[in-house]
Amino acid sequence: MTSTTFTGPSDANTDAATAALAPTWWLFLVRGILGIIFGCLALIFPGPTMLSLVLLFSAYTLVDGVAGIVSAVRAMRRRGRWGFLIFEGLVNIAVGIGALLWPGLTVLAFVLLVASWAIVTGGLMTAASFRLNLEHGRWWLVLGGILSLAYGAMLFFTPLIGALVLTWWMGAYAIAFGVALIIFSFRLRARQQQATNPTAVGTVA
């Protein structure tokens, strides 16, 4: 007789949602790596002009947004509903395009743009995370969302910071966010491997 780790309908639903998202684990890995690369560039080269920082941020959000939408769409094809992740990707793309179209933003305008982006995407990521199974990385995605929310709130409370400090904060945030996404991607990968090995998800009584 076989038994699974499900304890109720809620567990079954979160596991099904995780299974739908698991095949896209590598996209979260890509997003995490991009975040770390962006963060390292911001910390290693903290003295670029505001224009350079805006363009770098724009490129990062555009690529991250596309990767997020692709992962959500691929999950939806497996009967999952990932509207929050799609909306997050669209917000990333919109902010990236906005920064690209108005590269001459002042420091204050750019800080408020980044703060709004961080709060909106953090909230959407946190909301999406609660569709996932606890054992397969839910809290790492929650951590990524909380980091975004905290970063956005910090920028709103201190909007008159200098470009150099903004670069440092952005770099530290991007690295921490990237690490959380990479760990989450490997938890999804473990779930994907379990799906290909049925003996890993059941026990024989």
Side-chain angles (χ1 to χ4, degrees), residues 6 8-20 82 130-133:
F6 299 153
S10 178
D11 291 330
N13 290 338
T14 56
D15 192 77
T18 305
W82 294 100
F130 286 99
R131 287 180 50 80
L132 300 175
N133 189 289

Side-chain angles (χ1 to χ4, degrees), residues 75-192:
M76 288 178 70
R77 290 177 179 174
R78 295 172 174 81
R79 298 182 180 180
R81 290 195 296 269
W82 294 100
F84 286 125
L85 289 183
I86 289 181
F87 192 28
E88 181 211 352
L90 291 174
V91 169
N92 282 342
I93 292 174
V95 171
I97 292 175
L100 192 63
L101 292 178
W102 293 285
L105 292 171
T106 64
V107 173
L108 179 59
F110 184 60
V111 168
L112 295 178
L113 176 67
V114 174
S116 301
W117 162 79
I119 288 176
V120 172
T121 58
L124 292 171
M125 181 174 290
T126 302
S129 68
F130 286 99
R131 287 180 50 80
L132 300 175
N133 189 289
L134 282 171
E135 297 179 358
H136 296 104
R138 172 194 290 180
W139 292 116
W140 289 106
L141 197 60
V142 169
L143 177 60
I146 291 175
L147 285 171
S148 289
L149 289 169
Y151 178 62
M154 183 173 61
L155 290 182
F156 267 124
F157 282 119
T158 56
L160 297 178
I161 61 177
L164 185 62
V165 176
L166 173 62
T167 305
W168 286 339
W169 284 6
M170 187 175 292
Y173 154 73
I175 290 174
F177 181 75
V179 169
L181 281 190
I182 287 175
I183 296 175
F184 173 65
S185 73
F186 283 118
R187 297 302 296 271
L188 281 182
R189 181 172 179 265
R191 176 61 181 83
Q192 176 70 359

Side-chain angles (χ1 to χ4, degrees), residues 34-57:
L34 286 173
I36 291 176
I37 292 174
F38 173 73
C40 288
L41 289 174
L43 291 178
I44 295 172
F45 305 105
T49 64
M50 179 55 64
L51 176 61
S52 299
L53 181 59
V54 171
L55 294 178
L56 182 61
F57 172 75

